[in-house]
Amino acid sequence: MYFLSLLLLLLSANVQAIYSDEAFVNDWQLQNVGEYQCVFENDNSQYLITLSQLGQKSLLSFINEVNGEVFFRQPLDFSGLDVMVVDNGSEFVIMDDNSQMRAFNGSNGFPLEKDVSEYNFKSSCQPDMKGFKLKDKTLQVLDPESQLVVFKVDLWDNFQRVEYIHTDFQGTLKVLYSTTDSKYVFQFVENGELISEWVRDESESDIVAHAVINLPDSSLDAISQELVQEEDTSTLWEAYKFRVSKNLQRFKDLLRKYHYSPGAMLTEMLKTDDDASKEQRELVFGLAKYLVVATQRGKISALNIKNGIVEWSVQSNLNDIILLEWFADSSELVAVDRDGLYEFYDLTDLSQPTLIKKDRFGSTKIDTISLLDGQRFFITTEDDQKSIVSLSSKGEKPLTSTFISTHDKNHIYGHVVTADGQLRDTWVTTLDDDEEILSFAKREDTPTVSLGHILGNRTVLYKYLYPNLVSYAVYNKKTGNLFIHLIDSVNGALLHSQVHDDGVDPSSPIELVFGENWFVYSYFSSQPIPEQKLAVVELYESLEPDHRVSDNSTQLNPLKGVHPPEVITQAYFFPEVIKRMQLSDTKFGITTKSIVLELESGQLIYLSKALLNARRKDESQMSDDDKKEFMAMPYFSTLPINDHFIITHIRHLIMGSNSKLISIPTNLESTSIVCSLGHDIFCGKIAPSGQFDIMSPTFEKGKLIATIVGLVFLCYFIRPSVEAKKLKSSWMVRN
Ligand SMILES: *[C@@H]1O[C@H](CO)[C@@H](O)[C@H](O)[C@H]1NC(C)=O
Ligand SMILES: *[C@@H]1O[C@H](CO)[C@@H](O)[C@H](O)[C@H]1NC(C)=O
Ligand SMILES: *[C@@H]1O[C@H](CO)[C@@H](O)[C@H](O)[C@H]1NC(C)=O
Ligand SMILES: *[C@@H]1O[C@H](CO)[C@@H](O)[C@H](O)[C@H]1NC(C)=O
């Protein structure tokens, strides 16, 4: 008993929280400033203030001089061209592209309510190089009177330009310079000695295209080879013998590795994770990936998706990259730009891309490009031409006939690619002159896990699972109405449509995402109160439970039309302005879908689809059976933001207007990686249904094994005494 209590004590001591806080461990952000337009110092000489471009507007940043970290960033609502520093930095004036001047407080960057039109504007952006000399990659500081060199500092080899410089001509110097690869180096010299130096890498800002590379798990190669061998063997018995002998061999190897010592094997099992096994686990779980991004300036870089560290980068000769695509089979990465120029990189060695081919297709600017299959792309150009282009140097296998639907501002087109590779137009929908398409989403192509939705009384609502669906939002300028349409993308037939006339604001983002048998859209409207709205439309075969319209024995021909869905819809208020939406993507689609939202406030959050349910109704109308339904909740008009669903925690993202939100599945069904790509880069992990397939890192393997060993041990000792007791009691012998 003493032993048992000792064990219990051991287990209860030092119990850690079940949910270890993985914030800032599993997620990372590249906080970018961009290319520095103007750099100056604030009044207490602790921060460098920079002005940079953020889309069409400007960004004001305070950078800590000690370590180069961004202290504070403020997007401005105009485009600044030039800066004048007033009163040694206690105030500065920015001139915008309309020559209008605005004053800001130098210590905190807040705008000052002050008329500055009288100021005699003099730019402070050009560093004054009087008294300095650049020679052989060194910067020399000259005495103002004698012109003799007071001291000098070494510059980097790829030095480009001095952005900011300040010295007292005695021994202190602060210099910030740029390098040819968009890095910014700050050096601080005191008494002629280099005291601190830091570098900011601004080359991975303003992402325009991306691709994801899964790092291969080579540990499985041996096993897959064995499986192939096993298939090659002639009979079942031989395959079985092969497998048993292989496993026996493996066991022998293991014993030999630990010198036949059970102790060594046990310690190995109990050992806390080292780096190598952690890395191996990440490979198996599909968490080891490269996020390849292309920037506006044509640089292609691979970032480790775990921590954002740049693994390699290449400067392409492309101008305005619109597509990066990874072909895992041939280990090739292709980058295509708007002019039709493309470059192929070979990545057989994943740490080193080599340019293997560059060429161009077409002569007009590309509008959109998307992968069809193999290395075949569907392309629309700015002069409304559509074509199919293959970039493969080997032959491609013939296409299966494919239906494509495209859209511009006020048309939706249907096309078909026939088996002989011809592209034909099929149908077109033209909107009124006053109408404009603001958002467009096709149904996502993920595996279907269940055919129906089980209600509380064990009846089933059958989901409408017809795959060729597209929904789009149309705004009518004359009436101010927002129409949401659902169409069949094969024949263009309208299946459902609904309208909002609550003062929709067309200038704020209208976003649409289309999941399995539902779509969600967001819009901002002014009535009854100015508020963000989030609406969900769910499609069922029939709203009558247990009524199935489709049947699994006949094949449907979409060209002959399909039966329309029955629809339930519900709308909610949402407390923040939504900028972008994306569906979470997991490997098998079993995890409850969630909707990842990028908010105007610079945060990423996710909402479970269970919350955004069109069948939620007021509590007074819910029957007892309704309450038994899985995850059933009564209807509340506002969807709250729960702190647990904020992916970015306290971070503030500055993404610009063309950011992209992506969700990348991993081999763990529960877990999806979410990234936002734009001016900044952010990646984090979400587990919408909880981490049901993974043990918490704090799971105490050692203690569990110790307990089991202890219990076995205990049984071993207690059993004889129990048997003796039984024997005694059957003979009615007293102790
Ligand atoms: C600015 O600084 C210089 C030297 O550091 C000083 O002589 C001058 O008075 C300062 N001017 C103002 C307006 O504070
Ligand atoms: C700027 O802000 C600081 C601190 O908030 C304040 O003390 C100072 O008076 C302000 N400067 C001007 C010029 O308003
Ligand atoms: C089961 O519940 C649904 C929804 O509440 C209701 O429409 C249906 O009539 C119920 N069916 C039975 C057999 O009670
Ligand atoms: C169709 O579904 C029924 C029951 O849902 C099943 O019994 C039948 O085997 C299915 N038929 C085919 C062709 O899959």
Side-chain angles (χ1 to χ4, degrees):
M1 283 308 106
Y2 169 73
F3 184 67
L4 193 70
S5 59
L6 190 86
L7 252 174
L8 286 177
L9 209 93
L10 195 83
L11 282 174
S12 60
N14 192 15
V15 168
Q16 285 164 0
I18 297 172
Y19 299 107
S20 69
D21 196 2
E22 291 178 347
F24 300 101
V25 180
N26 275 339
D27 46 39
W28 52 270
Q29 177 189 11
L30 295 189
Q31 268 189 320
N32 291 317
V33 170
E35 221 152 271
Y36 302 179
Q37 238 175 310
C38 188
V39 184
F40 49 98
E41 221 173 352
N42 82 334
D43 56 351
N44 59 15
S45 304
Q46 284 178 347
Y47 299 106
L48 291 174
I49 308 180
T50 64
L51 186 75
S52 55
Q53 285 268 307
L54 177 65
Q56 303 299 318
K57 308 264 174 70
S58 285
L59 179 69
L60 198 64
S61 315
F62 280 55
I63 300 171
N64 191 333
E65 278 184 12
V66 178
N67 51 21
E69 278 169 14
V70 170
F71 172 64
F72 160 79
R73 289 181 302 171
Q74 174 70 46
L76 303 175
D77 58 357
F78 58 89
S79 167
L81 293 185
D82 211 341
V83 179
M84 170 170 73
V85 181
V86 191
D87 287 344
N88 292 349
S90 70
E91 195 182 313
F92 59 92
V93 177
I94 303 181
M95 184 157 76
D96 70 9
D97 47 358
N98 291 323
S99 302
Q100 197 190 339
M101 293 191 281
R102 294 175 176 85
F104 291 83
N105 184 329
S107 56
N108 52 25
F110 290 166
L112 293 174
E113 296 293 328
K114 185 168 175 182
D115 182 26
V116 286
S117 51
E118 247 90 279
Y119 279 27
N120 194 1
F121 192 90
K122 187 171 156 287
S123 171
S124 313
C125 292
Q126 278 302 322
D128 182 6
M129 295 302 286
K130 203 162 73 208
F132 301 103
K133 206 155 93 186
L134 287 166
K135 202 175 160 200
D136 303 331
K137 302 289 175 198
T138 59
L139 176 72
Q140 301 177 342
V141 181
L142 309 178
D143 184 75
E145 277 148 30
S146 61
Q147 294 295 310
L148 294 173
V149 176
V150 186
F151 63 94
K152 57 186 184 184
V153 286
D154 294 329
L155 302 175
W156 285 26
D157 282 346
N158 52 1
F159 166 85
Q160 190 181 24
R161 187 172 59 235
V162 172
E163 303 284 341
Y164 175 78
I165 195 159
H166 176 81
T167 183
D168 63 354
F169 294 105
Q170 274 158 9
T172 52
L173 169 77
K174 286 176 181 173
V175 60
L176 178 83
Y177 57 85
S178 54
T179 65
T180 45
D181 54 357
S182 294
K183 292 196 173 96
Y184 290 82
V185 184
F186 181 77
Q187 289 173 335
F188 179 40
V189 178
E190 209 164 54
N191 300 326
E193 302 239 347
L194 186 65
I195 291 191
S196 74
E197 179 179 33
W198 50 255
V199 188
R200 279 192 64 82
D201 186 354
E202 299 291 352
S203 59
E204 270 82 41
S205 72
D206 300 313
I207 305 305
V208 289
H210 77 277
V212 177
I213 299 181
N214 287 319
L215 300 192
D217 177 11
S218 50
S219 70
L220 293 178
D221 288 356
I223 296 177
S224 69
Q225 206 178 348
E226 276 172 23
L227 285 180
V228 171
Q229 271 181 359
E230 204 174 290
E231 264 171 25
D232 287 347
T233 53
S234 51
T235 64
L236 202 66
W237 170 242
E238 263 174 51
Y240 180 73
K241 239 172 45 187
F242 178 77
R243 165 119 20 131
V244 169
S245 68
K246 273 284 169 196
N247 283 348
L248 206 65
Q249 187 58 40
R250 218 173 272 146
F251 184 62
K252 277 187 199 153
D253 289 348
L254 187 82
L255 288 182
R256 200 165 304 130
K257 188 174 159 200
Y258 293 109
H259 306 291
Y260 303 98
S261 150
M265 264 148 75
L266 197 69
T267 39
E268 175 66 28
M269 265 159 83
L270 292 177
K271 210 165 72 181
T272 45
D273 304 328
D274 53 8
D275 280 351
S277 64
K278 225 167 160 177
E279 236 165 68
Q280 180 56 34
R281 203 167 52 215
E282 270 163 9
L283 277 177
V284 173
F285 289 168
L287 299 173
K289 292 175 198 291
Y290 284 171
L291 176 68
V292 187
V293 293
T295 68
Q296 226 166 34
R297 292 176 291 278
K299 189 175 174 189
I300 302 172
S301 315
L303 312 179
N304 192 326
I305 209 152
K306 192 170 66 179
N307 48 24
I309 289 173
V310 179
E311 302 286 344
W312 52 258
S313 64
V314 282
Q315 181 62 44
S316 70
N317 292 312
L318 308 177
N319 233 332
D320 184 3
I321 297 180
I322 53 171
L323 177 102
L324 274 183
E325 196 72 56
W326 166 243
F327 299 108
D329 295 341
S330 53
S331 298
E332 286 172 330
L333 181 80
V334 64
V336 183
D337 80 359
R338 217 169 265 288
D339 295 322
L341 284 166
Y342 63 91
E343 291 184 351
F344 267 89
Y345 292 90
D346 177 58
L347 274 164
T348 320
D349 175 4
L350 280 169
S351 60
Q352 204 180 9
T354 35
L355 182 66
I356 47 172
K357 184 168 111 183
K358 56 194 240 193
D359 205 343
R360 77 177 295 154
F361 55 80
S363 51
T364 37
K365 278 201 180 292
I366 298 172
D367 202 18
T368 64
I369 175 165
S370 47
L371 185 68
L372 280 181
D373 70 344
Q375 294 191 349
R376 243 178 314 223
F377 294 88
F378 175 75
I379 291 168
T380 63
T381 55
E382 282 185 353
D383 56 358
D384 279 336
Q385 295 300 312
K386 282 142 200 165
S387 55
I388 291 175
V389 171
S390 171
L391 301 186
S392 171
S393 39
K394 305 167 214 98
E396 299 256 23
K397 56 177 192 299
L399 272 169
T400 48
S401 70
T402 309
F403 290 89
I404 301 173
S405 90
T406 59
H407 68 106
D408 56 26
K409 277 207 154 11
N410 42 19
H411 297 89
I412 301 172
Y413 307 92
H415 314 278
V416 61
V417 186
T418 54
D420 55 351
Q422 296 286 315
L423 186 71
R424 296 228 180 83
D425 295 344
T426 47
W427 53 269
V428 55
T429 303
T430 307
L431 306 184
D432 286 353
D433 289 344
D434 298 322
E435 292 183 332
E436 194 184 319
I437 296 175
L438 293 183
S439 195
F440 190 90
K442 83 178 229 308
R443 180 188 188 270
E444 66 161 6
D445 196 11
T446 48
T448 293
V449 177
S450 71
L451 292 181
H453 194 86
I454 301 162
L455 305 183
N457 56 11
R458 303 200 172 199
T459 53
V460 175
L461 275 186
Y462 283 99
K463 295 176 184 172
Y464 188 74
L465 292 172
Y466 179 64
N468 306 315
L469 295 175
V470 159
S471 64
Y472 61 98
V474 172
Y475 182 73
N476 189 319
K477 278 179 242 157
K478 209 156 82 190
T479 60
N481 290 348
L482 178 74
F483 294 91
I484 306 291
H485 299 301
L486 172 75
I487 56 168
D488 181 335
S489 62
V490 172
N491 55 26
L494 185 67
L495 298 175
H496 172 73
S497 143
Q498 57 192 47
V499 60
H500 295 280
D501 56 356
D502 47 357
V504 177
D505 175 11
S507 62
S508 62
I510 292 177
E511 287 284 304
L512 245 173
V513 287
F514 204 140
E516 192 178 33
N517 68 321
W518 46 269
F519 56 92
V520 171
Y521 56 95
S522 67
Y523 65 97
F524 195 88
S525 72
S526 58
Q527 283 160 10
I529 42 168
E531 192 67 273
Q532 178 72 48
K533 312 253 163 74
L534 205 52
V536 53
V537 179
E538 289 180 3
L539 315 170
Y540 292 98
E541 291 200 347
S542 160
L543 293 183
E544 184 190 322
D546 282 346
H547 180 225
R548 190 163 180 196
V549 178
S550 68
D551 87 69
N552 54 2
S553 56
T554 49
Q555 209 169 16
L556 214 68
N557 182 357
L559 290 175
K560 290 190 180 142
V562 289
H563 81 93
E566 291 190 13
V567 167
I568 319 181
T569 170
Q570 189 67 277
Y572 296 89
F573 288 121
F574 191 72
E576 292 271 351
V577 178
I578 295 167
K579 195 174 143 197
R580 230 163 282 289
M581 290 206 289
Q582 182 61 258
L583 292 178
S584 70
D585 197 0
T586 57
K587 194 170 183 187
F588 301 107
I590 299 166
T591 305
T592 315
K593 279 272 165 196
S594 66
I595 294 124
V596 183
L597 308 170
E598 184 188 330
L599 306 180
E600 199 80 2
S601 63
Q603 284 182 312
L604 291 190
I605 70 158
Y606 68 100
L607 282 177
S608 169
K609 172 65 185 56
L611 271 175
L612 258 174
N613 183 341
R615 294 178 43 258
R616 282 173 71 173
K617 49 190 170 190
D618 203 77
E619 190 157 14
S620 60
Q621 291 167 12
M622 284 175 85
S623 66
D624 285 347
D625 273 347
D626 285 341
K627 288 178 189 161
K628 282 188 206 146
E629 190 183 318
F630 178 63
M631 308 262 279
M633 278 168 268
Y635 177 75
F636 293 108
S637 59
T638 301
L639 287 169
I641 295 182
N642 184 323
D643 289 348
H644 288 111
F645 299 129
I646 300 179
I647 306 169
T648 44
H649 314 297
I650 56 166
R651 296 180 204 270
H652 178 68
L653 310 185
I654 293 184
M655 302 310 305
S657 53
N658 296 321
S659 67
K660 239 197 252 173
L661 201 55
I662 57 172
S663 170
I664 308 157
T666 65
N667 291 348
L668 291 171
E669 169 58 24
S670 65
T671 309
S672 177
I673 300 174
V674 170
C675 294
S676 183
L677 312 171
H679 187 74
D680 283 1
I681 305 179
F682 170 87
C683 284
K685 284 185 205 137
I686 60 168
S689 303
Q691 291 194 323
F692 55 80
D693 51 2
I694 192 169
M695 274 187 197
S696 132
T698 56
F699 179 77
E700 304 186 24
K701 189 166 73 175
K703 286 180 191 167
L704 184 74
I705 293 180
T707 315
I708 293 171
V709 170
L711 287 176
V712 168
F713 205 60
L714 221 60
C715 290
Y716 184 74
F717 279 105
I718 288 176
R719 222 172 97 181
S721 90
V722 172
E723 304 241 297
K725 211 169 172 177
K726 266 193 197 159
L727 190 68
K728 279 176 187 168
S729 69
S730 60
W731 286 99
M732 297 202 192
V733 177
R734 284 213 178 163
N735 274 348

